[in-house]
Structure formats: structure tokens, C-alpha cells
Amino acid sequence: MKFDEQILAASAKRPQPGRTFQYGTAGFRLKANLLDSVVFRVGLLASLRSRKLNGQTIGVMITASHNPADDNGVKLVDPLGEMLESSWEAHATLLANAPDDEELLKVYNKLATDLRIKADAPSEIVFARDTRASGPALVEALVDALKATDSKYQDFDIFTTPQLHYVVRCINTKGTAYEYGEPTEQGYYQKMADAFKVAMKHKKTKAHVVVDCANGVGGQKLRELVKYLPTAAQGGVDIKIVNDNTSKPELLNEDCGADYVKVKQRAPPSSKVTHLERCASLDGDADRIVYYTTENPGRFILLDGDRIATLAASFLGDLARQAGLADQIKIGVVQTAYANGASTDYITKILKLPTICTPTGVKHLHHAAVRFDIGVYFEANGHGTVIFSPQATRIIRDCEPQSPAQSDALNTLRACANLINQAVGDALSDLLLVEVILAHKNWTCKEWEQTYKDLPNRQLKVEVLDRNMFQTTDAERKLESPRGVQDEINKYVGRYQEGRSFARASGTEDVVRVYAEAASRSEADELAQRVAEVVARFGGKGMR
């Protein structure tokens, strides 16, 4: 292609470090000091992707989400704000692993030829980063690639991951029947705030909500969003922001954030949660959220992604019925194997809604959710959103209410569709959605928790020599290799009342993640330990 000399010159400054990389569910994610060549090569792929789509805007996000501060990562965002098309993940891996500049150029040109990409087609890229100290240097690597391929680009500087997904969708739908919003940070806040005000009409929140921002980008952006929102006295919500120190990058995700709360099943040590105080934690790039509270004397109540999914599905189902649309709109919930068994029973037996179980990873849940008119998808870790199909959007928009009650339900349903970031899981959007629902139901966290009783569960990590040894089937609920490992797991599961356990390889590190649930806390802990020992025996280094 015509960019050969430019690519060779730029690549020479960023040699491949002799490591093997793999584009996974979260893109590339590893120690930041290994990412220089990877980010450069992702920039090359972004230019190819945009040209393949005749100049549609592609996003590049530099973040490592809930990982430690010295990690970083990079991933691509497709035109509607969704994850990169799965068939292109292999292309990213090929480029990242080319051993030298000449081989990189061969891979790049072969991809361009095989994919029938025209060198003179336009290439439009937008990108952003989180607050990690390594971010600016990695942005330089990305820009080198975009310049080398004569791509037009726009730097949105520091963003949450969902904000970049939002902007990409807005740019690519502008001027169409599916126009999503104004492709700016201010447009993001304004759209969300306008919808929140409509959804909160004549409703009041109970007390304030404390939001732990994991000392990440979410703190900065939530402070901006709050400027657009009415206070509780004005019919909105009072938000108290904690753990928002980004001046010390090493504090990112350190003993705080959504992942800490979910895995440890306790409030961050810095938190001073009082009796039934409503609290939420975001992760480092603000695409996950979990709620929690405490009940005297010292009982911790976790309201995770399963709880948010059931709350949203119940509320949206009620609104559809009240609007007279229950027969026209099919609502369903998508979960992963990590979903608590009690939540699945509640959805199917109490809410009487269909569920789908998919492999872990937002791309899998998102694709399953589009099968419904309104698809609710959340991973237990708090990453999720709600998707309204074009048909559901049209039905809700065009419906003529037959009573004041129907009119109120329709207005709230329309507002929720605008409040929710349908491009991707968004902690700030999900925060406001939960606040709207709790206000409508006049619930505290206690009433929310009482909808069903979670089975006690435990998660462990087992270090392994090669995570690729562990291959799963049945939406990651069973291991098909190494041979015999699933039989061993089944043997232990059968010993515990309401026992369920599975093991799956991490997509980002050489560990196998073990999940177990059972009728009691001690049984769940014991089952997790037994399964972890099985995994270690079949190929591990040890538990952590």
C-alpha cells in the first residue's frame, strides 16, 4: 500500500518486545511497559477497519478498567458503539505478534489485500484514555500509527470508556433516522440529564447515594454530570462522591471500586457506610457498577449486576404493562454463568421472563440481547445495559395513550430508553437508572434485597502454566479439557446442597477463575476451595 515507508519508519521506533499477545474480550490488557508496539499496531488496525467500512468512525480506547494502576490496555470500538467485530480480533492478534517491522508490513498489506481494503478510502478515528499515568505515552504510539496511515483523528483526551462508545455511535448515526445524540462530552451529559428529569417527574429519591469512583476517571466525569442534574430538593438526586483522587495514579482501584466490592464482598476500607446508607462503586473506567449497604450489626448487603438486571427487567416490564404494550414488546434477560442461581430463578419463576446464558464477555451478552424487543443484560460484576430494538423504539414512540396512567408510563419508558447508554454498559447511566427505579418503587436497598435471597457464593483464582489448556463448553459452565477435570468438579458439586461450580480461563492472564455457590456460606467456600484444588492439580501453580 502507499503507506509502506511511513509505517516502516514509525514502527522502527516501537519494536515488538518479543512477547506473544492476544486480543481478548477486553482487547489487549497487560503491563503498560509492554504496550508501546501493541497500541501502535492497534492504530494500524483501526485505520484498516475504518477504510473497510468506507470511512465510518472507529474508536480506540486506552484503558485497563479495574486492573491495577501499572497495567493498561487498548481496544477498538465499532461504528454503533459496540465491541470490535469478533472476526477482526484475530487480525489484531496477528499484527501485535509480527516479530519485526518488515513482517508487520507484510501482515498489514496482506490484511488490506485479503479484506479488499482500498488505500484511498477515508479513515476516521476517535480515541480517548483513562487517568493512568501510562496513558499519554501510549496515545503518542497510537497517533504515530494514525499519521503513518494518513488517518483523520480526534483526541477526546480523558474519557470514561462508555463516553467514547457513546461518541462513536453519535458520530456514525448523525443525520440518520437512528441519530443517537450530540457527539460531545456535553451532549452526553445533557442527554442523560434531560431523560433523568422526565423519568423522575413527581418522584423523590430517599436520602443520598454515596458513589465510590475507584480513584479513576469516573470521579471526574460524575462531578461534571452532577452539574446537569437536579438535586433531591429539586426532584432529582443527591450524590456524594468518594474515592475520586486522580492526582495520585497509583491509587486507582486500590482497595476500592466495583471489582473490589464484588470479589471481596465488603465495602472499601475507606468507606464509612452507615446503617442502610445507599452506596455504589464504579470501576476504574466507569463501565461497571455495583450497589451495596450495611445493616446493623455489621451485615454487608451486596446488590450486584444480577440485582440491577432483575430490578431493571421488573421495572421495564411493569411500565410496558401500564402503557398497554405488554403484548407487543418481548422483554428478556441475558446472563452469564456467574449469575447467581437465585437471580435466574427469580427472573423465570417470579418475573416470568425468558433468560439466555452466554459466555463471559459483553460482546456475547450484547449479541444475545438483541434477540428481544427489550434486552436486559448484565454480568454479575456490574457491567451491563438495556437494548431497545428498533421495533420496540418505534412502538413506544408511536403509541397513543388511552389514559393519564398510560401516558405517564409511556413517558417514563421513553425517558428510560434515552437515559440508558444502549451502546455499552455505562456505570453513570446505570447509576441514574437505578436511582429512578428506586424512586418509583419508593424502595431502600433493603426492599431491593428482599426481592430474592442470593445463594452464598465464592470466587477464587488459580494460577496456571497455560490458561489455554482449559477449554469450556455450555456457555462456560463446563470444562471439556483437560480430560477428566469436569468429572472431578461434578463429584464435588454433588456433595453440597444447591451446589453449583464452574471453572474458566481468564481472557487476560494465566489464571483460571473458579466460581462456586451453595446453600450456606461455609459450603460455598469449601466447594470453591475443592474445585480450585482440582484445577491446580490438572495444570496450576497455586491459588490466590
Side-chain angles (χ1 to χ4, degrees):
M1 292 181 79
K2 65 180 183 179
F3 313 119
D4 288 7
E5 293 303 320
Q6 295 166 217
I7 290 174
L8 283 172
S11 177
K13 298 190 299 181
R14 307 183 186 281
Q16 216 272 2
R19 296 284 293 268
T20 300
F21 305 107
Q22 184 173 349
Y23 194 103
T25 301
F28 294 109
R29 190 178 293 177
L30 55 153
K31 295 299 179 188
N33 61 3
L34 296 172
L35 273 170
D36 204 40
S37 69
V38 173
V39 173
F40 174 79
R41 294 164 185 220
V42 167
L44 298 181
L45 187 69
S47 71
L48 287 174
R49 182 70 176 153
S50 181
R51 287 192 165 97
K52 174 64 178 176
L53 300 175
N54 199 33
Q56 289 191 75
T57 297
I58 297 297
V60 182
M61 186 69 200
I62 296 174
T63 180
S65 188
H66 57 280
N67 279 36
D70 58 353
D71 287 358
N72 216 324
V74 61
K75 64 179 181 178
L76 294 182
V77 180
D78 258 1
L80 290 182
E82 70 269 55
M83 299 298 186
L84 176 67
E85 182 183 309
S86 58
S87 65
W88 278 64
E89 293 177 6
H91 307 331
T93 300
L94 275 175
L95 285 167
N97 291 320
D100 55 47
D101 304 334
E102 293 290 344
E103 189 62 30
L104 171 64
L105 188 61
K106 287 180 184 177
V107 173
Y108 178 85
N109 284 332
K110 187 174 188 304
L111 284 174
T113 300
D114 292 349
L115 296 168
R116 298 180 181 178
I117 296 171
K118 297 177 181 178
D120 56 356
S123 173
E124 304 272 353
I125 311 296
V126 296
F127 59 87
R129 62 181 177 89
D130 67 13
T131 55
R132 293 167 192 270
S134 57
L138 294 177
V139 164
E140 289 180 14
L142 174 64
V143 170
D144 279 356
L146 301 181
K147 287 180 177 177
T149 54
D150 291 351
S151 298
K152 291 183 179 179
Y153 61 87
Q154 183 174 359
D155 181 359
F156 280 90
D157 197 24
I158 294 176
F159 252 14
T160 69
T161 294
Q163 284 180 320
L164 186 72
H165 284 256
Y166 164 87
V167 163
V168 170
R169 183 164 180 158
C170 289
I171 291 171
N172 287 306
T173 58
K174 196 167 184 64
T176 73
Y178 303 102
E179 188 163 333
Y180 196 62
E182 184 62 33
T184 63
E185 184 173 351
Q186 292 71 30
Y188 169 88
Y189 299 133
Q190 195 64 62
K191 179 182 180 181
M192 207 180 293
D194 289 347
F196 179 73
K197 292 170 188 174
V198 174
M200 285 292 293
K201 189 176 180 181
H202 307 312
K203 303 297 178 184
K204 288 186 177 181
T205 52
K206 287 190 172 185
H208 60 258
V209 58
V210 178
V211 183
D212 153 35
C213 297
N215 294 315
V217 63
Q220 293 182 12
K221 303 310 180 183
L222 182 55
R223 287 199 181 279
E224 287 301 310
L225 175 59
V226 165
K227 296 175 184 177
Y228 291 75
L229 299 174
T231 64
Q234 297 166 331
V237 61
D238 290 335
I239 298 174
K240 292 189 174 182
I241 299 172
V242 299
N243 292 331
D244 63 333
N245 184 353
T246 56
S247 63
K248 296 181 178 180
E250 67 273 13
L251 296 179
L252 177 67
N253 296 318
E254 184 67 27
D255 291 338
C256 59
D259 197 55
Y260 176 91
V261 173
K262 172 62 179 172
V263 174
K264 301 289 187 181
Q265 298 193 29
R266 60 174 178 259
S270 59
S271 177
K272 309 293 185 211
V273 187
T274 60
H275 177 66
L276 293 183
E277 186 175 30
R278 195 165 70 258
C279 301
S281 283
L282 320 180
D283 70 338
D285 64 339
D287 65 358
R288 297 185 187 184
I289 184 169
V290 296
Y291 269 71
Y292 54 94
T293 189
T294 60
E295 184 179 31
N296 293 337
R299 176 174 171 256
F300 180 71
I301 299 172
L302 175 65
L303 299 155
D304 61 7
D306 294 342
R307 294 282 183 174
I308 297 172
T310 56
L311 184 73
S314 171
F315 182 63
L316 295 171
D318 288 344
L319 288 177
R321 281 189 291 275
Q322 292 161 12
L325 299 176
D327 293 335
Q328 300 179 60
I329 294 177
K330 182 182 179 183
I331 300 174
V333 181
V334 184
Q335 299 180 305
T336 72
Y338 285 105
N340 194 281
S343 73
T344 308
D345 283 348
Y346 176 74
I347 294 164
T348 57
K349 296 176 182 178
I350 305 301
L351 299 183
K352 300 190 183 305
L353 295 174
T355 63
I356 297 174
C357 184
T358 74
T360 304
V362 174
K363 62 183 179 184
H364 301 298
L365 286 95
H366 193 97
H367 291 156
V370 300
R371 301 181 200 173
F372 300 107
D373 296 316
I374 299 179
V376 180
Y377 75 81
F378 274 85
E379 294 183 283
N381 62 26
H383 193 168
T385 189
V386 182
I387 301 174
F388 290 71
S389 72
Q391 178 181 333
T393 302
R394 188 165 53 251
I395 289 170
I396 294 166
R397 181 195 64 208
D398 296 342
C399 181
E400 291 291 338
Q402 304 301 307
S403 69
Q406 279 194 3
S407 179
D408 286 345
L410 273 170
N411 287 335
T412 304
L413 196 53
R414 291 165 182 156
C416 286
N418 285 321
L419 176 60
I420 295 162
N421 186 345
Q422 296 183 47
V424 73
D426 184 338
L428 303 188
S429 166
D430 293 339
L431 170 74
L432 296 186
L433 177 65
V434 170
E435 291 301 310
V436 164
I437 297 172
L438 294 180
H440 274 258
K441 289 181 175 288
N442 196 29
W443 278 4
T444 65
C445 288
K446 183 66 177 174
E447 284 90 10
W448 183 6
E449 186 218 10
Q450 289 174 338
T451 51
Y452 63 88
K453 185 178 180 181
D454 272 322
L455 288 168
N457 58 88
R458 177 64 65 203
Q459 294 184 46
L460 295 175
K461 289 182 181 180
V462 183
E463 292 187 357
V464 295
L465 296 172
D466 178 9
R467 68 179 184 268
N468 295 314
M469 291 171 54
F470 294 84
Q471 297 296 317
T472 62
T473 186
D474 189 24
E476 299 182 327
R477 290 176 286 194
K478 295 178 182 176
L479 280 169
E480 58 183 5
S481 67
R483 181 179 293 183
V485 67
Q486 188 60 49
D487 291 337
E488 289 287 306
I489 292 173
N490 292 343
K491 182 175 70 176
Y492 284 114
V493 168
R495 297 178 183 178
Y496 297 91
Q497 184 181 356
E498 298 187 75
R500 183 173 74 92
S501 183
F502 65 91
R504 56 172 286 273
S506 166
T508 57
E509 53 185 329
D510 275 328
V511 301
V512 168
R513 303 181 190 277
V514 170
Y515 175 90
E517 61 185 41
S520 69
R521 162 60 58 206
S522 61
E523 288 178 305
D525 290 347
E526 188 174 300
L527 177 56
Q529 183 73 20
R530 294 287 178 267
V531 173
E533 290 168 357
V534 170
V535 170
R537 192 165 72 247
F538 274 81
K541 296 178 182 177
M543 284 164 284
R544 61 183 174 93

